[in-house]
Every structure is written in structure tokens, then in C-alpha cells.
Amino acid sequence: MKILFVTNQVPFPPDNGTRIVSYHAMRLMHEAGNELCLAVLSDEDLDVEKRFRTVAKFCKNDMAFKEELPSRHPLRIQIAAIFKDQLFFIQRFKSTAFLHKLRRLIDEFRPEVIHFDQIPMFQYSSITPSGVGAVASPNDSYALTLENAFSIGTYHGFEYAYKKWQYRRAREYERLIYATFNQVHVMSEVDKHYLQRLNPNAKVSVIPNGVESSLFDVANDTRDKTDIIFVSHLVGQNLICLKNFLRHGWLIVNNRYPNAKFKIVGKVGREAQDLKKQYDLQHGVNFAGYMEDLGEAYRTCGIAIVPINKDCGIVNKVIEAMAAGLVVVGFKKTFSGIPQAKSGVHFVEASDYEDMGHSIINLLDNTVSCGELKTAAHQLAKKYYTWSTRKDAYHQMYKTAQEDARTHSSRNRDLKV
């Protein structure tokens, strides 16, 4: 099968929610003997050429290209988005130059399936040739993501009003766009049911992310560890969650266990500088920065906090920590994308940030039950979330998309969405 991947980030390294899917889908399909091609439209500026060359090796005769996203002022993009009644990030990733290059690549490569990764790239599906399967891979529903944010009071004032407008636009966009694809790839049954309630004609496949095989070997080292860890890109909602835990949860742990250590792993950008200055190297807190090797990040720890309060998609840091043999402490919604996991057996569910602190104390007080949770979580991850088990599912999804496209070759994706 000939598969073209269209992405808005260079799919390497697979260290964030955007790159994980495209990288592993390409890797698995390459290993299965398929011919691959890649088109990237991105504004990234960190080791881009080196990263691009690494992933382009999956492609036939290095048949891949990368186009730099045109530089435009955010206000101009926002005005254009409002004028055209479009979502901001769709307008941001509009590029005539990329469109022309993509057309030429399609003519040359002649794909049987095109994988459009993330919502900003779905606008380019309109040039998919008749009879070629089109797969949309949003990870999760953006409208549902906003619903989750509203439910926990993330936005206020003007931002709240703007996000409400964006939410209504997102629901309408998702209602229309996904029904035009031959397959829609999401992470969880929650997202599938949500999208199919918006439009029963959407053909949705659920293939959750897996875990790097090297992480499973770390469990031997974490079995007796008790340090606490938080792994995330320290921006936006992730940073807010960390701040809330430090203020309301970690103080409880530190008062009970003054020698307890809390390692924070993630790039410390401009947004996180003030928080780092306030807490780093105080009360057992250590901002360790970005660590490319997750195994090394987890190896010295025994408990992972994942205070991500959402029920859309799958929280990668949960399954990664489980694979590494750590106990994961989070909220009820944190684990909704892992239907096999049970509270009190595979993870610890907390009601709020203070309860998260008390839950950690309980784990530190009860090493036997903590060890049982570690073992059960590791076994669950190993049984259900290895990447090797995803190869057939991805291949079947692409095959189904191809067959559907041939059956409905006259399907028109050029909607006013």
C-alpha cells in the first residue's frame, strides 16, 4: 500500500501528542512493507533539518518535503479567521505554496491512502484524488476538549467569550468535516461516541497510542522507588495543573514527608520561569528540564502525578508511567481513555489537588499496596499498550479507507467548513 502522510510538525522525535501518532504510524507501516511519502508544513525551528532527515528515511527514495509555514502576525490571522468564520489554527496553517507542492507530490507518488494529521491539515484533504482513501487523525475531538476546559473553569472574561465562540465553530466544523473522510482516527471510545453523536455518518476507528518498548524494562528499577514525578510540556493547562498541585497537593506531602522528592520533567520555557524560581530546589522540588530519554526520567521515581482533568483522547503520560512500573495518581477523567484500568487496582483516583497530596501520603505509608499497584499497572500496560500490537490495527484502518474511497469515488470533500 502507498501511504502519504501530511503533518503540521516534523514527526520526530515522538515526544509530544502531535508527533507520537504520525511517527509511529509511519514506522509501523514502513516495517510492514508499505511505501511511504511525507509532506510537512511547519513553523518549527529546533533541529528541524536533522529531525526531518531522520523520519524521511521511512519514505520511498526519500520522497518527502518540508515547507516552512509563512510568517504572519497573529492579529492578521485572527482577523482573517473571524472574517471567514474559521478556526484560528486552520487559518494559520493556510499556505498556497504548500498546497501546490502537495498537488505535485500526489501526482508523482500516486498514493492509495492519505493520512492527514491534526485538524490544521484537514483543509488540504479537498485535493485528494477520486478513489484515494483519506484518513483524518485529530487524536481527539477539539470541541470535547473545550467542553472539558469549560467544566473546570479554565477560561475567564474575554478569553471565555472567545473560547465559547470557538467551541460553537468547532462543533459545527467537526460535524461537517469528519463525515467527508473515509476514516477518522481517534484515541478513545469517548471521542468516537462524541463525534458520531455530532454526525452518525462519520466513520471512526479507535486506535490508542502505545508505549515505547524500552520503558517496560525500567520497571525493574522503579519497583522500590518512592520519589514523585510530573512529566509534561510546561505550558498552558499543563502548567496550571502543576501550579495547583504545588500549591495544594505537594505542601501536604512535604509536611508529612519532609525528605520526599518531586521531580518535574519538561522544557522550562518563558511561561514556566516564575514557577521554577518560586519552587526549584526548595521543599524537595527539582525542575529537571527536558529529558529525551523517558526511561531515565522515570527510573529514579515510583509515583507519577498526572493531574490532567479531561475525558477526551488518551493521556500518554499515564500509560508511559504505568509501563515504567510507577503508580499513577490522577483525577477520574484522567483515566477515561484507558477502559481496562480500574481505580484502586491499576491507579489511584483523587477528587482534587489536596486529595492528590493525601493519596501520595497513603502510598508512601503503605509500601505493600503501593507495590501491588505498580505491578498491576505495569502488567496492564504491557498487555494492552505496546506499539507492536498497533501494526495490524493501523494497516486495517488504511485498508478500510482505501476500500471505502473506491466504493464512494465521487465523494466531495470540498465543503465550506
Side-chain angles (χ1 to χ4, degrees):
M1 188 181 301
K2 300 176 72 175
I3 308 170
L4 165 61
F5 287 83
V6 182
T7 72
N8 68 334
Q9 287 189 22
V10 176
F12 185 84
D15 60 358
N16 67 26
T18 299
R19 293 193 285 262
I20 286 174
V21 173
S22 50
Y23 172 78
H24 285 288
M26 290 185 70
R27 178 180 65 82
L28 292 171
M29 293 303 93
H30 174 72
E31 291 174 358
N34 298 285
E35 295 183 20
L36 306 185
C37 187
L38 173 65
V40 180
L41 175 63
S42 173
D43 61 350
E44 300 168 279
D45 58 4
L46 184 63
D47 297 328
V48 177
E49 294 300 328
K50 180 180 179 181
R51 291 164 46 215
F52 181 74
R53 288 195 300 271
T54 298
V55 76
K57 293 177 182 178
F58 291 141
C59 301
K60 180 182 179 182
N61 300 324
D62 286 342
M63 187 170 282
F65 80 86
K66 175 182 60 64
E67 178 74 12
E68 185 173 346
L69 186 66
S71 177
R72 292 187 291 164
H73 193 282
L75 183 58
R76 290 185 59 187
I77 299 174
Q78 186 64 76
I79 292 172
I82 293 174
F83 180 75
K84 296 180 181 180
D85 196 27
Q86 284 187 335
L87 293 166
F88 174 86
F89 43 79
I90 293 177
Q91 180 62 219
R92 178 172 173 251
F93 277 84
K94 190 175 293 293
S95 169
T96 302
F98 178 78
L99 179 65
H100 291 331
K101 287 185 178 181
L102 184 60
R103 285 185 187 276
R104 290 196 294 270
L105 186 64
I106 290 173
D107 289 342
E108 181 179 356
F109 182 63
R110 296 189 178 278
E112 295 168 282
V113 177
I114 305 178
H115 173 124
F116 295 92
D117 200 60
Q118 303 294 316
I119 290 179
M121 307 312 289
F122 296 169
Q123 60 190 298
Y124 297 104
S125 67
S126 61
I127 66 171
T128 303
S130 177
V132 173
V135 175
S137 184
N139 274 3
D140 44 35
S141 164
Y142 182 59
L144 182 55
T145 299
L146 290 174
E147 286 186 17
N148 276 270
F150 294 142
S151 70
I152 60 175
T154 301
Y155 307 117
H156 304 279
F158 175 77
E159 186 180 24
Y160 175 81
Y162 172 70
K163 291 295 185 180
K164 273 293 187 181
W165 173 85
Q166 197 175 48
Y167 166 67
R168 290 190 291 271
R169 191 69 195 90
R171 276 181 63 92
E172 180 65 6
Y173 180 83
E174 292 190 321
R175 184 183 71 82
L176 293 173
I177 192 68
Y178 291 129
T180 70
F181 283 87
N182 304 106
Q183 283 283 284
V184 180
H185 169 220
V186 296
M187 295 288 112
S188 75
E189 292 291 337
V190 173
D191 292 281
K192 176 180 179 178
H193 294 153
Y194 185 86
L195 293 180
Q196 290 187 326
R197 284 197 301 271
L198 290 180
N199 192 332
N201 293 319
K203 302 178 178 68
V204 186
S205 292
V206 178
I207 309 176
N209 285 337
V211 176
E212 296 277 11
S213 58
S214 59
L215 276 178
F216 292 101
D217 298 331
V218 178
N220 292 327
D221 296 321
T222 60
R223 185 173 293 112
D224 299 321
K225 300 296 193 305
T226 58
D227 287 359
I228 297 90
I229 187 172
F230 174 81
V231 180
S232 185
H233 189 30
L234 303 181
V235 296
Q237 189 59 36
N238 294 334
L239 190 58
I240 292 173
C241 292
L242 173 60
K243 187 181 301 183
N244 286 333
F245 175 73
L246 284 168
R247 290 176 177 175
H248 304 291
W250 181 246
L251 290 180
I252 293 173
V253 178
N254 187 247
N255 285 337
R256 175 68 173 81
Y257 283 93
N259 294 323
K261 296 179 181 179
F262 180 35
K263 182 163 69 172
I264 299 166
V265 176
K267 183 180 179 181
V268 182
R270 180 180 54 82
E271 288 184 60
Q273 287 296 335
D274 289 343
L275 194 66
K276 180 182 178 183
K277 290 178 183 178
Q278 184 179 356
Y279 287 98
D280 194 24
L281 303 180
Q282 300 181 55
H283 307 291
V285 177
N286 174 28
F287 280 76
Y290 173 75
M291 298 180 69
E292 185 173 345
D293 188 338
L294 276 180
E296 290 305 308
Y298 285 120
R299 194 178 301 277
T300 59
C301 300
I303 300 170
I305 63 152
V306 187
I308 308 300
N309 202 3
K310 67 171 189 175
D311 62 357
C312 54
I314 187 171
V315 182
N316 296 311
K317 300 311 176 190
V318 171
I319 55 175
E320 289 168 352
M322 286 180 168
L326 280 73
V327 180
V328 180
V329 181
F331 301 125
K332 182 177 182 180
K333 287 184 177 181
T334 306
F335 306 95
S336 60
I338 310 173
Q340 305 88 354
K342 296 180 180 179
S343 177
V345 178
H346 304 101
F347 62 87
V348 175
E349 178 185 318
S351 58
D352 55 31
Y353 289 98
E354 289 186 0
D355 189 35
M356 188 170 284
H358 290 299
S359 297
I360 292 172
I361 289 174
N362 187 53
L363 290 169
L364 296 175
D365 286 342
N366 299 277
T367 56
V368 174
S369 60
C370 184
E372 291 173 348
L373 282 160
K374 288 181 177 183
T375 299
H378 174 72
Q379 291 175 344
L380 180 145
K382 198 166 187 177
K383 181 176 181 180
Y384 295 105
Y385 291 96
T386 59
W387 273 115
S388 60
T389 63
R390 304 293 186 256
K391 184 181 295 185
D392 290 345
Y394 270 104
H395 190 272
Q396 184 58 53
M397 178 180 69
Y398 294 133
K399 182 179 179 182
T400 300
Q402 178 189 22
E403 292 172 348
D404 184 70
R406 289 172 175 173
T407 303
H408 305 92
S409 58
S410 62
R411 184 182 293 252
N412 179 19
R413 296 187 184 86
D414 195 14
L415 298 177
K416 300 300 181 181
V417 296

